[in-house]
Structures are given as C-alpha cells and as structure tokens.
C-alpha cells in the first residue's frame, strides 16, 4: 500500500493508481502458464487416451481452466447492476475548515484520488444504458483519513421515506417474477400498483417521468447525496449538509423516442460516451456543491430535513460550490475495478456524519451486507479497488480470501503482548468521533407527522418545468401507464396525479382514454401499520416557501458550450470539401467532434479532390447517436444522398429530435427532401442569406462565413424543443 505524500502533505493525484499498479499485470512477452505458474505447452488439445480416445481426468490443465471459467461470474448488484466507472481526482477550492474537519476538504493544493461509478437502477448488468430510470452517481474518495463514499443518484429525492419499504419498491420495479418481463423498465403493472398505493413516491415520480431519467450522457447529469448529512468542524459544531454534483457541461437529456432507438443502435451509449471522452482527453468534470443549514434552523422548513423525498429548494438555501471532480482515466479491467468496487454510504471520515434519516439508516446496514454475498466474504475491503490508501490496522482476521499476512500473536485488544497496538486514536489524532446528537424518545415503529406532505414538492417540481418539459412528463406518464394492463391501477394513478396538478392528470387521462376519478374507494396512502391511525398517514399539504424553483428546470442549464458534442456530416463522393473543411475546423475549434457518415465505408472524395475517411455508414450508425447534423453541398454528393432513404431519414429524425441541423449549397436540397417545402426550407427566398430558425441553419451559398457561428449557437442550445409544438415529424 502506497503512503506517498505530496510536498503539501496531501495525497498526490495518482496515489491510488500507483497502488493499483502493484496488482496490475499485462502479458507482454510472457509465456502461457497455469495458475500455479507452470508453463503450458499445448493450449489447443485436452489430454486423451489416444487421439480419438476419451479425455483423461488427469488433465490438470484442462480441469483448472474450465473450473476457473465456471466460476467467472459473481452475483450482479441487486440494484444498480448496470454501470460504468472511471478514475480521477477531487480538489477543494478553498478550505472548508469553518464547517468540517474532513481533511480532503481543507487544502486546495491536494488532489484526492477518486473512483466514480455511474449506473442505472432497475436493469440487469447487460441492459440498455438508455432505460428510463434514476442514475447512480457513486464516488469513492481515497482520502488520507480513509475512504469516504458519497453514494448518490442523479435525482435529489427518493421514492420512499423508510428503508423498510425498499425491498418492496425494488420487487415492484424489477421484471415481474412469473415471466421476468420487462427488462430495465418501470412501465409495467407491479411498479405502478405499488406506486399508486404509496403517495410519498410522487415527488420522485415527477423526476423519473421527466427527461432527467434519460440523460444525454453521464457527463451531463447532476449528482445528489439525497439524504441530509452533517458537517462537523474542529470546535465540534455541526451543520446539516446536502451534497450536489454540478456537471461543467450542463444538464442535458435525450428525447424519449431517441432513448428507445439508442437502446437498439447502441445499448452501451453512456458507457461508450464516458470511455471515449476520457480516452481522448475530454475529461468529464463536476463541481461539488453544498447546501448548509445551521443546527438551530432544523425546524424552520416546510418539510423535514430527515425526509429523503424532499429537496431544499436552491432559492431557499443556495448551493455553495466548493470543489471540482475530474475523471481522467479509464479502468484497466471492468471486472476487477468497476464490478468489484464496493460503495457504502457508511464509509465516512471525521468531519462528516449522518442524520436520523430513516432511509439512510437502512442503507447503513445494507451495503456491507450486500457485499458479503456479492464479493463472497468479509475481506472485500482488501480487493485492490476497495483498499484505502490510509494505513489499515485492526484485529479483524481470517475469512474467505484473506490477503493480508498479519504478523504476531496478538489479535485482540486490550493487550500487552503487542505493546497495546494498534492503539486507539483520540479525536485530536484523527479518531472518528460521532456527533453527540441528543436523542431522547420512546421506542416506536412510526413515521413522523412532519413526513406527510407528499404532494407539495411534486407540485413544485411540475410547476418549475418549461412547457416542453411538462409535455415530456405527460407523455412519459401516458407511455408508462399505457403499458399498465390493470385499469384500476391506471385510475388510481390518475387520482394521485390530480393531487399533484389537475391539468397534468387530465392530460395524462386524455392519452389513456379515461377520466380522472374524482374520488377513491380506499384511503390514498395504503402503507399504514395494521393498528395505525389511517387518518394520520394520509398526505397533508404544507404551504411551500416557493411556488416555483427555476433551478429545477433543465431549460435553465448551461447552454454556452458545444464541447464534446458529436456532429454528423452527411456526405458522398463529390461533396463540397472546402465547405466541409471550414465548418469542421470551426466546430472542432469549439471542442466538438465531427464524424463523416456516408452511404458506404472507406474514403469519399470531394469536388476539389480532398479524400476524407468515412467514420460510419448509414448501416453502422444513426442520427440518434449524434447531437447535430451538417450537410455540405456538392451536386454529385447530394444527388447520391437524395437516392439514399437512410440519408433522408437521418435528417428527418434529427429534426424530430429537435437537434441543430445545418446545410450549405446543394445540401439544402437534402433538407428540402427530408423536411418538406413547408418547413423552414421554403422560407429561403433569395438563397444568399443565412436562414436560421429553431436550430436549423442554412444558406444556399456554398460557403457562407456566418453559417458556422450560427450552427455553433444552435448546437449549444442542445435541443430546440419548441419544434415539437408544431406538426409532428414521422421519423
Ligand atoms: Fe442503494 N443499494 N439502497 N440507494 N445504491 C445499492 O449496494 C439500498 C438508495 C445507490 O455503483 C446496493 O453495492 C437500500 C438511495 C447507488 O456500486 C444495495 C436503500 C440512493 C448504488 C443498496 C437504498 C442509492 C446503490 C446494491 C434504501 C441514492 C450503486 C449493490 C434504504 C442516494 C453503487 C450495492 C455502485 C447500490 C441498498 C436506497 C444509491 C443493495 C436498502 C436513496 C448509486 O446495498
């Protein structure tokens, strides 16, 4: 284990990578051996009694190889099975000493190594990245004081308030047990049956039915610690804290139709996007933000800080940005690192502490328990990816796959034979000391009355969305409930939605072809103890401090960069190479990635003779894998593309998904063929000017110097959702 420190007495950026290097191997110039190191002479044939004879049990090489193969799999995570991860580092902007003693939050010159895993929740390991789902955002900080895990999601609230309901929630959302259908989807009866009976889920439902649940990229989504934690400073003063990760590229999502198609064209879309961008040096970055609340203000909110179905609106308590996370290295081995990494919200360091959130407390039990079955025993912390960089000394011994060789006869405390070692460390020596919170109460199975406002923040979320975002939520609910086969579940859900927003419920009902019920036969909340007071468990609205929170809408996210955006160029032989070169240069200068899509693979030649390699053909990629499309002119190229149904479909589909589209010279003809004369194309009257409208940029001039800038502005908007309000595009 490396103890290397920088001159600032901090952990240097790559300390964890140095640590992993000790166990990382490659096979360059090596001979094939068994696991015992014996060189293998024939890896093609098993040992037989004559060439056509029976295989001999004696063949220890065959037996070892097949036995190891038979045991290659471990149970996938029960939730968050599908994921991708990367290494990087975290750096604080300025000392957080006034608020916390956590060492990795003190010195801006210290780069703390991290390993970050993103995931979907419901699907199996091999499911599509683009499922409608929350995304896990789990960060392991290898700090000087031990590992700190911030195991969050890209949604700031959760479905349920108490850990007791977690297995029920997950059983409901997972594929149904009789036929294991559907994979990685909440659009089925058992999920909505459960949700319709658990109104505390309504706030989270608004988020997962919004486009937040279909991110454009892991690199373009928020992260949240969800629970309220505590910061504790050197004076022992505590403050409540909520954690936020804010992506430097803004928060962006794809369209639902697009998500469905990406799942077919590239189910590894998010995984690939993360991998490729890190590999090419476009390192994803997030800022860590904190919302801090003084202890004495605990009860000043219109919700309970311990209730994981609530946010603190940013307009009420601003987010202070305190540091930056950079992911700059892909793992070497998916299984050893991404699959075996074991996160745990209970992995905290001095200066950070828990609150009494009952969901968090269940998690504090669950994560070690799950590793025991997944990773096979109590020594999972010794796996290289899980090992802290901080030195580790205790009297825990033995167990499956123990790696450490502990010297000496002492494995107990107190002892004299070992000189009393390892010694307890007082708080001043960095020993973890729990915050001395006063707890005085009766032992009860109950839920606090302060947890029963189930709808106000769902309404706040809905009210804070732009019109296109609201339309997407309505469509998502129409889709999900449309897949539900039991009419009573649909009706119940509509009633619940009417408690969030009447017009939302009516719009969804219209799509389902039924009415919103005006009352229910049973109480709203059916999650009630057998002898509980049903009335006490029913939702109660509390007046909110804000009616709308702009921070909740992706419409207000960062829209001033096209860095790492993927732009497709549609071209064939005879394309206008000068026009392409100019636009490509401008796009790449702004940080975008440009790919040439053509009828066939190989090389295409421009009118001026330039030879351009084709990145993919219409068969091997699709518009849904790109952020924008450019069609350069060139009569011959456009003539060929006009006969290529896939080229027309490409433009059409990009338009349908509200992406930026540019065309120059004869390229405008392809737009006309795809979008029709009634579209913006028809408005290009004199042909010389640059026409831009809702993200479509074109000029009939072969090269117009204003096209690139207008196109870049259009791409930076991410999507031009206003197009959806017009005639639907059949793509
Ligand atoms: Fe988890 N969760 N969870 N969870 N969770 C797991 O631990 C659990 C919850 C989250 O990339 C499991 O190692 C319970 C909230 C992430 O490896 C398991 C409850 C949030 C990951 C588990 C929750 C999360 C997990 C499965 C309710 C957002 C993936 C595999 C009491 C703040 C971490 C594993 C990774 C994984 C239990 C609720 C986030 C079974 C019991 C709320 C990001 O232990």
């Amino acid at each position: 284990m490396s103890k290397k420190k920088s001159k600032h007495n901090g952990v240097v950026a790559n300390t964890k990578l140095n640590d992993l290097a000790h166990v990382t191997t490659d096979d360059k110039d090596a001979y094939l051996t068994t696991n015992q190191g014996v060189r293998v002479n024939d890896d093609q044939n098993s040992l037989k009694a004559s060439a056509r004879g029976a295989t001999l049990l004696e063949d220890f090489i065959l037996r070892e190889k097949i036995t190891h193969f038979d045991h290659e799999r471990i149970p996938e995570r029960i939730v968050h099975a599908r994921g991708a991860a990367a290494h990087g580092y975290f750096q604080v902007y300025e000392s957080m000493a006034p608020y916390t003693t956590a060492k990795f939050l003190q010195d801006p010159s210290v780069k703390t190594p991290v390993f970050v895993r993103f995931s979907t929740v419901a699907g199996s390991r091999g499911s599509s990245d683009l499922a409608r789902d929350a995304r896990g955002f789990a960060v392991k900080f290898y700090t000087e004081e031990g590992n700190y895990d911030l195991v969050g999601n890209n949604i700031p609230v959760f479905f349920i308030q108490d850990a007791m309901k977690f297995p029920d929630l997950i059983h409901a959302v997972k594929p149904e047990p009789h036929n294991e259908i559907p994979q990685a989807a909440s659009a089925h009866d058992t999920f909505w049956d459960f949700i319709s009976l658990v109104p505390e889920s309504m706030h989270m439902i608004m988020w997962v039915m919004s486009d937040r649940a279909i991110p454009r990229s892991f690199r373009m989504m928020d992260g949240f610690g969800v629970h309220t934690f505590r910061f504790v400073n050197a004076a022992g003063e505590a403050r409540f804290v909520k954690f936020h990760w804010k992506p430097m590229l803004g928060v962006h999502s794809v369209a639902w139709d697009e998500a469905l198609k990406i799942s077919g064209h590239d189910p590894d879309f998010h995984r690939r996007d993360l991998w490729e961008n890190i590999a090419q040096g476009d390192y994803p970055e997030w800022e860590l933000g904190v919302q801090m609340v003084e202890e004495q203000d605990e009860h000043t909110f219109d919700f309970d800080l311990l209730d994981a179905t609530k946010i603190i609106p940013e307009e009420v308590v601003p987010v202070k940005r305190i540091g930056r996370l950079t992911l700059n290295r892909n793992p070497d081995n998916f299984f050893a690192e991404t699959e075996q990494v074991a996160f745990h919200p209970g992995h905290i360091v001095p200066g950070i502490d828990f609150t009494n959130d009952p969901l968090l407390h269940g998690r504090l039990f669950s994560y070690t328990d799950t590793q025991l079955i997944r990773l096979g025993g109590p020594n999972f912390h010794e796996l290289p990816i899980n090992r802290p960089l901080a030195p580790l000394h205790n009297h825990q011994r033995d167990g499956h796959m123990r790696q450490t060789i502990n010297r000496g006869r002492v494995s107990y405390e107190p002892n004299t034979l070992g000189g009393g070692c390892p010694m307890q460390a007082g708080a001043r020596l960095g020993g973890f000391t729990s915050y001395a919170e006063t707890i005085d109460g009766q032992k009860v199975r109950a839920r606090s009355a302060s947890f029963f406002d189930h709808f106000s923040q769902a309404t706040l979320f809905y009210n804070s969305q732009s019109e296109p975002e609201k339309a997407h939520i309505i469509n998502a609910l129409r889709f999900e409930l449309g897949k539900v086969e039991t009419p009573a579940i649909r009706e119940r859900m509509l009633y619940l939605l009417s408690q969030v927003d009447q017009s939302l419920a009516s719009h969804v009902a219209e799509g389902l072809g039924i009415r919103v019920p005006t009352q229910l036969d049973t109480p709203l909340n059916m999650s009630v103890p057998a002898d509980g007071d049903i009335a006490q468990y029913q939702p109660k609205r509390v007046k909110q401090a804000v009616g709308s929170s702009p921070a909740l809408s992706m419409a207000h996210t960062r829209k001033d960069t096209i860095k790492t955006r993927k732009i497709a160029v549609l071209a064939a032989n005879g394309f206008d190479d000068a026009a392409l070169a100019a636009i490509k240069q401008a796009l790449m200068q702004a940080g975008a990635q440009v790919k040439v899509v053509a009828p066939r693979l190989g090389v295409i030649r421009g009118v001026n003779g330039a030879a351009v390699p084709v990145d993919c053909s219409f068969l091997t990629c699709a518009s849904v894998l790109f952020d924008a499309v450019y069609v350069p002119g060139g009569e011959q190229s456009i003539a060929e593309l006009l006969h290529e149904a896939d080229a027309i479909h490409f433009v059409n589909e990009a338009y349908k998904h509200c992406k930026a589209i540019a065309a120059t010279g004869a390229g405008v003809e392809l737009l006309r063929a795809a979008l029709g004369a009634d579209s913006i194309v028809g408005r290009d009257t004199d042909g010389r000017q640059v026409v831009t409208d809702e993200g479509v940029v074109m000029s009939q001039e072969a090269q117009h110097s204003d096209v690139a800038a207008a196109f870049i502005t259009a791409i930076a908007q991410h999507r031009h959702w206003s197009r959806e309000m017009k005639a639907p595009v059949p793509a």
Side-chain angles (χ1 to χ4, degrees):
M1 227 167 285
S2 166
K3 292 178 195 149
K4 208 170 128 197
K5 303 278 171 71
S6 75
K7 60 179 184 295
H8 306 287
N9 197 31
V11 179
V12 295
N14 61 355
T15 328
K16 187 61 195 172
L17 300 182
N18 295 343
D19 179 50
L20 292 176
H22 301 164
V23 288
T24 307
T25 173
D26 66 59
D27 297 327
K28 192 165 181 295
D29 298 332
Y31 288 104
L32 187 72
T33 72
T34 67
N35 283 337
Q36 304 306 316
V38 175
R39 286 191 180 176
V40 174
N41 162 269
D42 181 349
D43 193 36
Q44 322 305 321
N45 303 296
S46 52
L47 190 67
K48 300 178 196 77
S50 83
R52 297 184 60 249
T55 303
L56 299 179
L57 191 58
E58 177 196 322
D59 191 348
F60 65 96
I61 298 177
L62 173 73
R63 277 189 285 114
E64 183 199 77
K65 186 173 179 180
I66 289 192
T67 303
H68 197 277
F69 169 76
D70 290 345
H71 294 256
E72 274 176 8
R73 292 289 168 273
I74 59 171
E76 64 176 32
R77 288 166 175 84
I78 176 75
V79 282
H80 297 265
R82 168 87 188 164
H87 292 276
Y89 62 90
F90 174 80
Q91 233 171 335
V92 73
Y93 288 148
E94 57 179 23
S95 172
M96 291 295 286
Y99 312 107
T100 174
T101 57
K103 224 159 176 196
F104 78 105
L105 297 176
Q106 307 297 314
D107 183 349
S109 69
V110 172
K111 290 180 170 181
T112 301
V114 299
F115 190 65
V116 180
R117 182 173 180 273
F118 304 103
S119 47
T120 53
V121 181
S124 294
R125 241 188 89 175
S127 56
S128 168
D129 281 346
L130 263 290
R132 173 177 294 285
D133 203 348
R135 298 298 184 285
F137 192 133
V139 182
K140 190 180 282 295
F141 299 82
Y142 302 94
T143 88
E144 278 182 68
E145 299 176 295
N147 288 353
Y148 169 53
D149 293 354
L150 183 49
V151 196
N153 277 348
N154 74 329
I155 290 179
V157 289
F158 202 62
F159 293 100
I160 48 167
Q161 296 173 321
D162 192 303
M164 192 66 128
K165 301 309 297 167
F166 190 68
D168 301 296
L169 166 75
I170 300 305
H171 286 174
V173 71
K174 283 272 179 180
E176 299 195 6
H178 57 314
N179 56 12
E180 220 191 27
I181 296 174
Q183 179 54 242
S186 52
H188 59 111
D189 284 49
T190 57
F191 177 69
W192 289 103
D193 185 23
F194 176 82
I195 293 297
S196 73
L197 301 168
V198 181
E200 72 204 49
S201 62
M202 288 315 288
H203 188 193
M204 176 81 170
I205 287 296
M206 289 297 111
W207 285 81
V208 286
M209 292 299 115
S210 81
D211 293 347
R212 300 266 182 163
I214 37 173
R216 157 65 180 82
S217 159
F218 292 141
R219 304 174 296 116
M220 298 173 198
M221 64 183 200
D222 282 327
F224 301 93
V226 175
H227 313 281
T228 305
F229 291 89
R230 276 193 169 90
F231 267 164
V232 186
N233 67 15
E237 295 158 350
R239 284 176 182 79
F240 294 106
V241 60
K242 285 225 182 244
F243 294 107
H244 297 244
W245 291 110
K246 304 259 186 193
M248 301 306 281
L249 295 175
V251 185
H252 303 288
S253 290
V254 300
W256 174 238
D257 178 68
E258 198 182 355
L260 293 174
K261 289 171 176 167
I262 293 174
S263 290
H265 284 289
D266 186 6
D268 303 305
F269 186 69
H270 285 154
R271 178 180 284 194
R272 190 187 309 283
D273 167 277
L274 182 69
W275 181 277
E276 285 182 354
N277 280 283
I278 292 175
Q280 68 206 18
D282 283 320
Y283 300 142
E285 288 184 317
W286 289 259
E287 282 187 309
L288 179 63
V290 290
Q291 285 176 297
M292 289 186 286
V293 174
E294 300 295 322
E295 280 274 303
Q296 67 267 21
D297 293 339
E298 177 175 5
H299 300 294
T300 56
F301 298 95
D302 37 37
F303 53 88
D304 197 322
L305 286 176
L306 305 184
D307 174 358
T309 66
K310 304 295 186 297
I311 56 160
I312 311 178
E314 292 189 25
E315 292 74 14
V316 177
V317 176
V319 176
K320 178 180 166 69
R321 297 179 185 231
I322 66 166
R324 188 176 293 211
L325 168 73
T326 306
L327 298 182
N328 61 356
R329 188 172 180 278
N330 283 316
D332 283 314
N333 185 281
F334 187 90
F335 182 84
E337 301 175 75
T338 310
E339 193 59 13
Q340 292 200 121
V341 66
F343 292 96
H344 186 359
H347 292 164
I348 54 169
V349 289
I352 298 177
D353 214 330
F354 313 118
T355 60
N356 291 330
D357 174 341
L359 192 69
L360 174 61
H361 284 205
R363 296 183 72 199
L364 297 181
F365 165 74
S366 178
Y367 290 67
T368 305
D369 189 42
T370 211
Q371 307 314 338
L372 291 175
I373 180 84
R374 239 172 52 73
L375 299 172
N379 289 316
F380 59 86
H381 63 281
E382 291 189 329
L383 290 169
I385 194 67
N386 294 326
R387 254 181 348 218
L389 289 171
L392 183 165
H393 298 282
N394 58 41
H395 296 300
Q396 295 171 33
R397 291 290 186 276
D398 310 346
H400 274 293
M401 301 293 172
R402 183 67 174 182
Q403 317 269 311
T404 308
I405 302 172
N406 298 99
R407 283 211 191 96
R409 58 201 284 212
V410 171
S411 55
Y412 54 89
E413 199 281 339
N415 69 69
T416 57
L417 295 179
C421 291
M423 298 163 287
Q424 298 178 124
R428 277 192 303 118
L429 291 169
F432 185 88
T433 317
S434 289
Y435 175 63
E437 182 183 1
T438 307
I439 300 185
D440 185 14
Q442 282 183 323
K443 196 197 299 182
V444 286
R445 284 190 186 275
R447 197 132 347 153
S448 168
S450 53
F451 275 42
F452 283 92
D453 180 4
H454 298 329
F455 295 121
S456 298
Q457 287 210 349
T459 308
L460 170 67
F461 181 81
Y462 190 68
N463 284 347
S464 306
Q465 304 302 295
S466 64
E467 285 310 312
E469 284 172 313
K470 282 185 178 167
H472 293 176
I473 293 173
I474 292 166
N475 278 336
L477 283 161
R478 284 178 173 182
F479 176 88
E480 296 268 323
L481 297 176
K483 295 279 184 180
V484 168
E485 289 165 2
T486 312
I489 297 175
R490 288 183 181 167
E491 283 173 14
R492 224 187 138 77
M493 271 315 303
L494 284 178
Y495 186 79
L496 246 66
L497 292 174
S498 73
Q499 304 303 299
V500 177
D501 185 278
Q502 195 62 49
S503 79
L504 164 69
S506 321
H507 279 109
V508 177
E510 199 186 313
L512 298 177
I514 50 175
R515 291 237 183 99
V516 183
T518 49
Q519 61 179 49
L520 289 178
D521 301 338
T522 52
L524 251 180
N525 193 355
M526 298 291 282
S527 285
V528 180
D531 295 322
D533 174 0
I534 290 202
Q536 195 230 308
Y537 271 71
Q538 297 317 302
K540 299 174 186 63
R541 261 185 194 276
V542 177
K543 194 173 162 7
Q544 298 292 291
V546 290
S548 153
S549 164
L552 296 178
S553 166
M554 289 193 289
H556 304 126
T557 193
R558 195 172 165 188
K559 290 181 179 172
D560 59 353
T561 174
I562 67 162
K563 265 189 85 181
T564 76
R565 293 312 191 129
K566 275 179 115 165
I567 322 299
V569 172
L570 304 194
N573 279 324
F575 70 97
D576 184 339
D577 39 12
L580 172 59
I583 296 273
K584 184 174 174 179
Q585 195 200 7
L587 292 173
M588 290 186 58
Q589 242 167 26
Q593 300 157 15
V594 179
K595 304 282 175 199
V596 173
V597 185
R600 283 164 300 283
L601 295 174
V603 171
I604 50 172
R605 290 198 175 273
V607 268
N608 304 310
V612 172
V614 176
D615 294 292
C616 62
S617 70
F618 292 114
L619 186 65
T620 58
C621 66
S623 86
V624 292
L625 306 179
F626 294 91
D627 292 294
V629 185
Y630 168 52
V631 189
E635 301 292 339
Q636 188 197 339
S637 166
I638 296 303
E640 185 173 347
L641 293 179
L642 283 170
H643 282 99
E644 189 76 48
D646 287 339
I648 294 170
H649 179 72
F650 202 105
V651 174
N652 213 350
E653 196 175 51
Y655 186 83
K656 178 186 176 75
H657 297 145
C658 305
K659 295 173 181 177
I661 299 174
T664 47
V668 172
E669 283 307 310
L670 191 68
L671 263 56
R672 187 164 289 137
L675 309 179
D678 290 347
S679 71
I680 171 186
V681 192
R683 276 198 272 141
D684 183 17
T685 43
D686 75 0
R688 303 199 63 76
Q689 55 182 323
V690 175
V691 182
T692 72
D693 185 31
E694 293 184 319
V696 180
V697 179
M698 53 179 215
S699 165
Q700 291 199 7
E701 265 189 48
Q703 280 189 59
H704 195 302
S705 54
D706 293 345
V707 169
F711 191 33
I712 288 171
T713 307
I715 301 167
Q717 295 308 300
H718 179 62
R719 294 301 164 86
H720 299 264
W721 298 121
S722 52
R723 271 187 220 155
E724 287 178 338
M725 303 292 156
K726 305 208 173 128
V729 180

